[in-house]
Amino acid sequence: MHAAERERRIFEALRPTGFVSYRDLEVLLDASPATIRRDLTRLEESGQIVRIHGGAKLPEGDDASGPRLMGTSFDQNITQNLGAKQAIGKAAAALCQPGEGVMIDGGTTTLQMCPHLDGLGLQVLTNSLHIVNALLPQAGTRILLPSGAVFREQNIILAPAGEESMPRFHAPRLFMGAAAIGPQGAMQADPVLVAAERRLIDRAEEVILLVDSSKFRTQSGTIVCGLDEIDIVITDTGITPEMAKALQDAGVKLVVV
Amino acid sequence: MHAAERERRIFEALRPTGFVSYRDLEVLLDASPATIRRDLTRLEESGQIVRIHGGAKLPEGDDASGPRLMGTSFDQNITQNLGAKQAIGKAAAALCQPGEGVMIDGGTTTLQMCPHLDGLGLQVLTNSLHIVNALLPQAGTRILLPSGAVFREQNIILAPAGEESMPRFHAPRLFMGAAAIGPQGAMQADPVLVAAERRLIDRAEEVILLVDSSKFRTQSGTIVCGLDEIDIVITDTGITPEMAKALQDAGVKLVVV
DNA sequence: TCATATTTGATCGCTATTGATCGTTTCGAA
DNA sequence: TTCGAAACGATCAATAGCGATCAAATATGA
């Protein structure tokens, strides 16, 4: 293995949490301890990482450590396909008109919209506490919440069945995630999510689905809505031509980033 | 686990209430007692925390006492009179019956109830995102939120005027903070807080006010409610006999911790 | 092909970090 | 006020990580 390849792997390991232990690298690089140390020393001298006893971390400032709420599966999902999700989030944010009101469903992909919403002066209605935390530092973004009980597994706010939980609200756009998408439509693993999302869908003019391409290769539980209810799908280049055609045949506008 | 990760977790645990117990850290860090102590000692020497018997707290804000209107941030207030607030919070939590539903108003004193609510199986309705964060790790506590917009200065959820924002909810007890208390009643500095608290008061059987004794020496803006609407006041030993008598003459039960 | 330069691996002594075990101190409840 | 449990600090041994040096492997160029 070459030095360049090792460096690439080091950064790859570093990105999710901003830290790699020496032990991890020993397995990951399959190189001798001496070589690993030399790599780290070199990267530190060029200022790209900071070495600490037992490993290395990214320099302060550009670490991607976002809001960490709890040690749930959410934290694991958040780093999966992170690059694709970031690109999808950015594309989705570009669809927002300054000053308008939008709804954002909870999810690791929709979460990646938040950094790009700053300065747009939006009104965001969301049921996700993760998204609330991400938007809190943005002084110009107004955050609206529905009433209800906090559902810890997903960190979202769930209204009791049949209860009116949202202030009268209607939005031109709903940004939604999904556990899977196929010819039947968008799907979620947890049925309680379905009920929450149905309520959002009913209040939106336009439904925009944010899914990285791995979601096209998954089957998951309960159908949230058919393709006919989805207006736009934003995904990454991993989508197969067949899927793309199926979506377009169903009248869905497809955005590939 | 490495030192950097442990430090991160310590601050994460410290953020909600400004205090972590040694016991909590033992579970949270999964390290030996000696290592935890060393971490705390190191952080104290660098001035980032203050160690106290049984745990650690955030350093005090600059002005340790005296009247403060608005302007100082929540994070600074959190550490002021922390010891008194913790004791008051503990006493307040002892008033909760297992399994019942209660309302907790936002504030740095009411926040200190949260560590003592674990295991009671309460249903907590709150408008404060700080309290939500403090309660999230407690699996047995059900968290209910009203709908509305997030008001950043206090990190609470405000309903639009006249809007029905809470699920039908009625509670035996409301735990409330205040910026000041005097013969006229409880006062808040910010008028928008008054409106929010009035709404909570109307839904409670019993109103319990949590104020450290410095609040008796302060005058602040807008009256929230008269003494006749307050059932119990919990405060610390700094209260003067005259004030104590005035409260009891007004029919308020006084708890001094 | 051979000589040289670069990179990698191995070994050594040294230091830092951790965990265990004392005796002592502090806090809270009776 | 007294007593017991919990928290504390100090010390020591074990381990893991560190840097330096040298040998081996690989790449480079005449």
Side-chain angles (χ1 to χ4, degrees), chain A residues 19 21-22 52-55 57 68-70 129 132-133 135-150 152 155 157 160 162-163 165-168, chain B residues 2-5 8 12 15 125 129 132-133 135-152 155 157-158 160 162-168:
Chain A
F19 180 82
S21 71
Y22 171 81
I52 54 183
H53 195 93
K57 61 170 185 158
R68 268 183 245 279
L69 279 185
M70 310 193 48
L129 294 178
V132 171
N133 278 328
L135 293 177
L136 269 180
Q138 302 179 12
T141 304
R142 189 172 161 82
I143 307 170
L144 303 176
L145 297 177
S147 65
V150 175
R152 284 189 174 74
N155 243 281
I157 303 167
E163 182 112 357
S165 71
M166 284 179 233
R168 301 171 212 98
Chain B
H2 298 83
E5 171 69 6
R8 197 187 64 74
E12 192 176 306
R15 197 167 319 131
L125 175 74
L129 294 178
V132 171
N133 279 327
L135 293 177
L136 269 180
Q138 302 179 13
T141 304
R142 189 171 160 83
I143 307 171
L144 303 176
L145 297 176
S147 65
V150 175
F151 176 57
R152 283 190 174 74
N155 240 283
I157 302 167
L158 284 181
E163 182 114 359
E164 180 52 56
S165 71
M166 284 178 234
R168 300 173 212 96

Side-chain angles (χ1 to χ4, degrees), chain B residues 51-66:
Chain B
R51 294 191 65 181
I52 54 182
H53 195 91
K57 62 175 181 128
L58 289 170
E60 292 269 332
D62 299 325
D63 53 329
S65 67

Side-chain angles (χ1 to χ4, degrees), chain A:
Chain A
M1 189 181 311
H2 281 314
E5 169 68 6
R6 287 199 309 273
E7 282 193 18
R8 198 188 62 74
R9 293 204 193 185
I10 289 173
F11 283 115
E12 190 179 306
L14 216 39
R15 200 147 308 136
T17 62
F19 180 82
V20 267
S21 71
Y22 171 81
R23 296 292 204 80
D24 292 342
L25 291 177
E26 206 162 17
V27 176
L28 210 59
L29 304 186
D30 192 32
S32 72
T35 302
I36 295 175
R37 297 223 166 72
R38 271 187 287 257
D39 284 343
L40 295 181
T41 305
R42 180 164 26 84
L43 287 173
E44 179 171 48
E45 277 167 2
S46 70
Q48 299 187 75
I49 64 171
V50 175
R51 293 191 64 179
I52 54 183
H53 195 93
K57 61 170 185 158
L58 289 171
E60 292 291 328
D62 65 78
D63 70 326
S65 62
R68 268 183 245 279
L69 279 185
M70 310 193 48
T72 60
S73 60
F74 197 92
D75 285 344
Q76 290 151 21
N77 281 335
I78 210 169
T79 56
Q80 287 174 352
N81 294 327
L82 183 60
K85 286 175 179 175
Q86 285 171 333
I88 292 168
K90 185 174 182 180
L95 297 178
C96 295
Q97 303 299 314
E100 75 179 355
V102 300
M103 294 188 283
I104 304 182
D105 174 47
T108 53
T109 310
T110 49
L111 185 60
Q112 296 299 333
M113 291 178 66
C114 297
H116 306 285
L117 298 179
D118 202 1
L120 292 178
L122 298 181
Q123 279 195 55
V124 176
L125 175 73
T126 184
N127 55 13
S128 159
L129 294 178
H130 286 291
I131 289 185
V132 171
N133 278 328
L135 293 177
L136 269 180
Q138 302 179 12
T141 304
R142 189 172 161 82
I143 307 170
L144 303 176
L145 297 177
S147 65
V150 175
F151 177 56
R152 284 189 174 74
E153 282 184 54
Q154 299 281 341
N155 243 281
I156 66 172
I157 303 167
L158 285 182
E163 182 112 357
E164 179 52 57
S165 71
M166 284 179 233
R168 301 171 212 98
F169 198 83
H170 192 80
R173 261 170 285 286
L174 161 65
F175 296 92
M176 198 171 77
I181 181 172
Q184 313 86 355
M187 285 166 281
Q188 280 292 6
D190 197 322
V192 302
L193 289 181
V194 176
E197 290 180 343
R198 287 291 334 165
R199 207 170 297 194
L200 294 176
I201 291 171
D202 293 341
R203 291 165 174 275
E205 290 289 325
E206 197 174 43
V207 176
I208 302 169
L209 197 70
L210 283 64
V211 283
D212 66 86
S213 60
S214 72
K215 305 292 169 61
F216 286 95
R217 298 185 292 272
T218 312
Q219 292 290 327
S220 185
T222 317
I223 294 177
V224 178
C225 64
L227 292 180
D228 56 321
E229 289 183 278
I230 301 173
D231 297 280
I232 303 179
V233 167
I234 307 180
T235 188
D236 59 272
T237 50
I239 186 175
T240 63
E242 300 86 61
M243 283 295 178
K245 183 168 188 311
L247 284 179
Q248 280 162 340
D249 286 349
V252 178
K253 185 178 170 195
L254 182 65
V255 176
V256 178
V257 296

